[in-house]
């Protein structure tokens, strides 16, 4: 498993070459899968924290991300998460205490 970067962009055009071929719903699911794979890798590599850029828009992706992170928190996989103080388009995930 490859160590993820400290900041991960969840915009589809940042990680999918053919993103134009996807529907909006498919892009959301791809972004959540990308979040999971990077977060799982960050947990594996025992990183202190990882940041995810979700952007502005209508807030649909942000809601899905926060729901996913709540599941990780409830399972004990992460300590906490919060909107970045410097940029509200970024969520900071604290993995260890």
């Amino acid at each position: 498993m490859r160590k993820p970067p400290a900041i991960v962009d969840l915009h589809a055009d940042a990680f999918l070459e053919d993103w134009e071929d996807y529907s909006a719903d498919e892009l959301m699911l791809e972004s959540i899968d990308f979040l999971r794979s990077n977060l799982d890798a960050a947990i594996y590599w025992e990183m202190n924290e990882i940041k995810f850029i979700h952007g502005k828009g209508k807030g649909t992706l942000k809601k899905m991300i926060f729901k996913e992170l709540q599941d990780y928190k409830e399972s004990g996989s992460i300590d906490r998460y919060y909107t970045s103080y410097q940029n509200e388009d970024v969520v900071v995930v604290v993995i260890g205490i």
Side-chain angles (χ1 to χ4, degrees):
M1 183 177 293
R2 202 173 98 195
K3 188 173 182 178
I7 301 172
V8 178
D9 190 347
L10 296 178
H11 291 96
D13 60 345
F15 63 91
L16 289 175
E17 289 183 22
D18 58 346
W19 65 272
E20 294 108 342
D21 298 335
Y22 291 77
S23 71
D25 289 340
E26 289 171 329
L27 290 174
M28 288 285 188
L29 293 175
E30 290 292 331
S31 291
I32 294 299
D33 284 346
F34 194 60
L35 173 132
R36 285 182 192 132
S37 65
N38 280 281
L39 183 52
D40 290 345
I43 292 166
Y44 174 83
W45 284 97
E46 299 178 350
M47 294 172 64
N48 291 329
E49 73 175 29
I50 187 168
K51 297 176 183 176
F52 293 98
I53 302 169
H54 52 72
K56 291 188 190 307
K58 297 178 183 176
T60 307
L61 179 58
K62 181 179 180 177
K63 288 176 190 169
M64 289 180 68
I65 289 168
F66 275 64
K67 182 186 178 315
E68 189 69 26
L69 293 175
Q70 185 60 36
D71 292 344
Y72 273 84
K73 184 173 176 8
E74 288 174 2
S75 73
S77 299
I78 63 172
D79 182 47
R80 66 188 180 280
Y81 58 93
Y82 57 91
T83 301
S84 170
Y85 303 120
Q86 289 87 17
N87 185 342
E88 65 184 28
D89 301 339
V90 175
V91 60
V92 179
V93 180
V94 179
I95 296 166
I97 296 174

